[in-house]
Amino acid sequence: MLFVCLGNICRSPTAEAVLRGRLREHRLDDRVTVDSAGTHGYHIGRGPDARAIEAARRRGYSLEGQTARQVTPEDLERFDYILCMDQPNLENLRRLGSGRSVEVRLFLDYTDSEISEVPDPYYGGDKGFEQVLDLVEDACEGLIRELRQRL
Ligand code: 4NP
């Protein structure tokens, strides 16, 4: 399972941490490999944004140990699901292409929410990071439901 956003310091690290928590609760953590990456290289090698770390911590998730990296063509060969935070991320991933069958989708396809993209919180305030967590938690519910059927 690979989560993708733009910088790999806000949204996709948050999704990675929340899904790891859910997988542990459902004892699926040894069945699914979870990672995240960004379509751009601005923040390669850095840890997540301090605001994302703090917002996640308040809800009991740890972003510790995560380091930003950029998506590579090999990711399309390694992962079965690549879940993108917004439409431009999705288009960038589809442009990379792959010879094998891999689910490249918007992460919010797994919710009933009317919002189809996780809004970029980078230039906004703390509310944006709370909204990211709300949407990510919601989508993780749907994703766990699918994984429990598949695994
Ligand atoms: P992310 O947020 O894609 O959720 O990690 C962003 C991080 C950095 C930038 C934009 C969005 N940036 O422009 O540097």
Side-chain angles (χ1 to χ4, degrees):
M1 187 72 54
L2 181 70
F3 291 110
V4 173
C5 62
L6 183 67
N8 192 211
I9 58 170
C10 300
R11 292 167 292 177
S12 61
T14 300
E16 179 181 336
V18 172
L19 185 66
R20 283 187 196 284
R22 292 286 178 276
L23 288 169
R24 265 195 305 276
E25 286 165 17
H26 291 275
R27 299 184 197 286
L28 292 171
D29 46 319
D30 58 346
R31 310 282 302 276
V32 182
T33 303
V34 187
D35 197 4
S36 65
T39 54
H40 281 260
Y42 312 125
H43 301 280
I44 290 173
R46 297 211 199 131
D49 188 297
R51 297 164 297 173
I53 293 173
E54 178 55 22
R57 189 195 59 77
R58 285 197 297 265
R59 295 197 196 187
Y61 306 109
S62 170
L63 271 54
E64 209 173 309
Q66 294 200 45
T67 306
R69 72 170 181 89
Q70 194 168 11
V71 170
T72 67
E74 290 72 41
D75 286 323
L76 285 136
E77 311 307 316
R78 274 182 60 210
F79 292 96
D80 295 323
Y81 288 79
I82 300 184
L83 302 180
C84 301
M85 297 297 145
D86 61 33
Q87 195 67 37
N89 305 153
L90 181 74
E91 281 157 22
N92 276 322
L93 260 290
R94 294 225 161 117
R95 219 169 287 137
L96 285 178
S98 173
R100 67 189 267 276
S101 158
V102 42
E103 292 266 8
V104 182
R105 306 177 63 175
L106 285 174
F107 185 31
L108 295 191
D109 285 354
Y110 288 96
T111 74
D112 298 326
S113 163
E114 276 164 25
I115 305 176
S116 63
E117 304 175 296
V118 182
D120 181 346
Y122 189 67
Y123 292 107
D126 288 345
K127 263 173 107 175
F129 287 85
E130 293 302 324
Q131 187 188 19
V132 167
L133 278 158
D134 290 341
L135 293 169
V136 162
E137 286 181 335
D138 189 13
C140 277
E141 291 297 315
L143 181 55
I144 285 283
R145 229 173 288 133
E146 173 163 324
L147 290 173
R148 291 184 71 185
Q149 282 177 359
R150 266 186 82 155
L151 294 173

